[in-house]
């Protein structure tokens, strides 16, 4: 057999390899936009929207901290409604190794760790799963099929990422990342049957302290049930001096 015949499969594979590497580079740059903030505190209004348009509102306080270059820590605390007040979710999100999450419900007065098999479940009745509620590091996926496409007139890169976690509720996700600021504008989530499950859209981006881009609103729509969850963010405050003790399991017990 000629050498050229042996090399032919490699020649055809080269564009796919280069494409996957480029998709990863775009994902890394988008991830870099979210890092280096030190710590931040903000207010969150969560609105659950039924298929018929009925709404239920929830108010939360959220604080996050970069523990090191590969670990984010987040504590979300419910203030309203009354039956959820004092409930909290603590997340330790890692670039490598397993993420950890703990849920505290005052009604049962105990902390429950969210197991790896349960992270695809809904967070407090919303359309955001436990695995969605924190921003994953780019290393949690592998990437493919980079293309370019407009989203509401905004030029974007589109790419697919596949979760490395075998317990993820998704087979794949399709992302729209704008070409100017490398901000994630839209995500399509495909379920374990590879059917479109949810769409996420981030809007009203603002830049804080001259460098930190954050969306003012996130909307998650369940394409299979018609339910929606809207997150509205405000009152961002960076570099408040949060420490490790603010993100311990004891901190969950102290939330009020």
């Amino acid at each position: 057999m000629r050498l050229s015949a042996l090399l032919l499969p490699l020649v055809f594979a080269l564009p796919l390899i280069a494409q996957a590497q480029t998709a990863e580079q775009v994902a890394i740059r988008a991830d870099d936009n979210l890092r280096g903030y030190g710590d931040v505190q903000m207010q969150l209004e969560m609105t659950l929207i039924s298929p018929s348009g009925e709404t239920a509102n929830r108010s939360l306080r959220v604080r996050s901290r970069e523990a090191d270059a590969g670990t984010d820590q987040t504590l979300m605390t419910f203030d309203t409604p009354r039956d959820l007040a004092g409930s909290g979710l603590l997340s330790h999100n890692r670039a490598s190794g397993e993420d950890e999450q703990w849920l505290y419900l005052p009604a049962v007065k105990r902390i429950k760790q969210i197991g790896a098999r349960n992270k695809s479940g809904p967070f407090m009745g919303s359309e955001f799963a436990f695995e969605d509620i924190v921003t994953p590091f780019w290393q949690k996926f592998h990437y493919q099929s980079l293309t370019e496409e407009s989203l509401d007139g905004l030029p974007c890169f589109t790419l697919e990422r596949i979760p490395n976690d075998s317990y993820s509720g998704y087979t794949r996700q399709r992302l729209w990342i704008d070409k100017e600021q490398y901000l994630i504008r839209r995500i399509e989530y495909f379920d374990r049957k590879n059917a479109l499950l949810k769409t996420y859209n981030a809007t009203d981006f603002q830049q804080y302290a001259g460098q930190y881009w954050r969306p003012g609103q996130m909307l998650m729509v369940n394409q299979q049930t018609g339910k929606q969850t809207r997150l509205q963010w405000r009152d961002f405050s960076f570099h408040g001096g949060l420490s490790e003790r603010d993100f311990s399991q004891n901190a969950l017990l102290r939330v009020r």
Side-chain angles (χ1 to χ4, degrees), residues 31-39 66 72 211-212 214 239:
D31 188 82
D32 286 344
N33 273 339
L34 303 174
R35 311 301 170 191
Y37 63 89
D39 65 73
E66 292 179 301
D72 281 348
Q211 56 184 319
Y212 310 119
R214 296 294 185 270
H239 308 303

Side-chain angles (χ1 to χ4, degrees), residues 144-159:
Q144 59 188 23
S145 66
L146 181 70
T147 58
E148 296 183 14
E149 189 175 317
S150 291
L151 178 67
D152 297 327
L154 185 68
C156 292
F157 295 106
T158 59
L159 57 88

Side-chain angles (χ1 to χ4, degrees), residues 37-43 62-64 208-209 212 214 234-242:
Y37 63 89
D39 65 73
V40 61
Q41 301 181 68
M42 51 273 193
Q43 298 291 320
V62 183
R63 55 178 60 175
S64 295
Y208 297 90
Y212 310 119
R214 296 294 185 270
R234 58 181 174 83
D235 300 339
F236 286 84
S237 178
F238 290 87
H239 308 303
L242 297 175

Side-chain angles (χ1 to χ4, degrees), residues 6-7 12 15 18 33 37 39 46 82 99 103 107 109 119 156 160 177 192 202 209 218 239:
L6 291 173
L7 294 177
F12 280 108
N33 273 339
Y37 63 89
D39 65 73
M46 175 187 289
R82 181 177 298 179
D99 299 335
L103 182 66
K109 296 182 179 180
K119 290 181 180 178
C156 292
E160 286 198 353
I177 299 173
R192 289 170 178 165
M218 301 172 175
H239 308 303

Side-chain angles (χ1 to χ4, degrees), residues 4 9 57 61 76 92 109 116 122 144 151 182 202 211 222 234 255:
S4 58
N57 298 314
R61 286 167 286 139
M76 309 180 74
H92 288 185
K109 296 182 179 180
Q144 59 188 23
L151 178 67
Y182 284 76
Q211 56 184 319
N222 191 311
R234 58 181 174 83
V255 298

